[in-house]
């Protein structure tokens, strides 16, 4: 289960984040929310470079969370 105290460091502030230990990274989520998620510099993790705004982006974030096989994406951050 994702832990808000263990965000990928590059994750922008806000409720949505990727857990730094759980992300493998398998890249499945990138296809669901390409406008929100991307690889970090060495492609070892994925992070939210933008928080979702509006219904469409929120739906993409929710889809990314739902497809993540590691349950590494959550929305209980600050
Ligand atoms: S789907 Fe989950 S484990 Fe895979 S890259 Fe995205 S956050 Fe990481």
């Amino acid at each position: 289960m994702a832990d808000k105290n263990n965000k990928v460091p590059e994750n922008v502030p806000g409720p949505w984040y990727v857990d730094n230990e759980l992300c493998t990274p398998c890249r499945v989520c990138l296809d669901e929310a390409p406008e929100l998620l991307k690889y970090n510099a060495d492609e070892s993790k994925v992070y939210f470079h933008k928080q979702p705004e509006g219904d469409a982006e929120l739906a993409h974030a929710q889809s990314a969370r739902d497809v993540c096989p590691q349950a590494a994406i959550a929305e209980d951050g600050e």
Side-chain angles (χ1 to χ4, degrees):
M1 183 178 174
D3 181 348
K4 65 183 177 185
N5 295 311
N6 198 29
K7 295 179 182 179
V8 174
E10 295 91 338
N11 210 94
V12 294
W16 287 86
Y17 64 94
V18 177
D19 185 291
N20 196 43
E21 290 187 5
L22 295 177
C23 181
T24 51
C26 66
R27 93 170 301 284
V28 173
C29 61
L30 296 177
D31 293 333
E32 303 298 325
E35 79 277 47
L36 306 175
L37 292 160
K38 66 180 179 182
Y39 277 125
N40 62 358
D42 67 1
E43 300 191 354
S44 62
K45 305 291 174 185
V46 163
Y47 67 98
F48 279 86
H49 64 89
K50 178 185 185 303
Q51 292 289 323
E53 296 176 78
D55 291 346
E57 289 187 357
L58 182 59
H60 291 171
Q62 290 167 336
S63 294
R65 177 195 62 201
D66 292 347
V67 300
C68 178
Q70 304 297 326
I73 296 175
E75 56 177 311
D76 63 338
E78 284 113 36

